[in-house]
Amino acid sequence: MTNAQKWVSLFLGLFIVLFILGRLTKSEEEFDENFDYYEETDSNAEKPDGLSLMNTIGCVSCHGADLKGTGLGPSLYTAKEYWGRQRLIAYLRNPSAYDGDERFDSYKSQYKSIMPSYSNIDVEKLGIIADYILSLEGK
Ligand code: HEC
């Protein structure tokens, strides 16, 4: 064998070894068709419901866990008599713009706190909350 022939066979041997190694490692990372890639991004994922949003935001600390009022805020069961959906959302975003009503005068003497404004909360969430408040039945 000449020197050139030795080099050629060395490279050929190396090439074959690398080729086989490449085959072996590739088979391990093949696409797993049984794996559910869509599980985490289900578009039907549940929307938050009104009451749990009100718990998270803290409405219940003044209006009560049952929303029937505390010394800090009135019951929300009568709200549907005064509010439509859009006005209620607007009220939640800026309550002080709506305190002309005489109902609010008596609220002021009755409750030791004021209704905070929630303009920092996503309007879609306020809509879910408004729907929930307007759906409350009973006293
Ligand atoms: C710091 C206490 C406090 C918190 C927290 C609070 N409220 Fe109020 N809320 C009040 C008070 C007090 C009033 C009575 C009006 C006033 O004095 O401004 C009121 C009034 C209301 C009214 C009008 C009731 C009516 O009879 O028209 C609604 C609706 C309402 N709150 C919903 C909410 C929602 C929804 C949240 C949470 C996103 C919330 N409140 C958080 C204290 C609070």
Side-chain angles (χ1 to χ4, degrees), residues 55-101:
N55 272 296
T56 317
I57 296 170
C59 318
V60 293
S61 60
C62 292
H63 292 286
D66 55 5
L67 304 180
K68 291 188 175 173
T70 70
L72 294 175
S75 166
L76 297 181
Y77 274 74
T78 50
K80 63 175 175 298
E81 296 168 22
Y82 311 108
W83 303 101
R85 186 176 195 269
Q86 287 309 319
R87 270 186 84 237
L88 182 50
I89 294 171
Y91 171 77
L92 296 175
R93 289 173 56 82
N94 186 16
S96 59
Y98 292 84
D99 62 6
D101 199 295

Side-chain angles (χ1 to χ4, degrees), residues 26-38:
K26 194 181 170 204
S27 64
E28 282 169 17
E29 47 188 67
E30 252 173 28
F31 181 75
D32 178 2
E33 60 186 23
N34 291 319
F35 185 77
D36 186 359
Y37 291 96
Y38 297 100

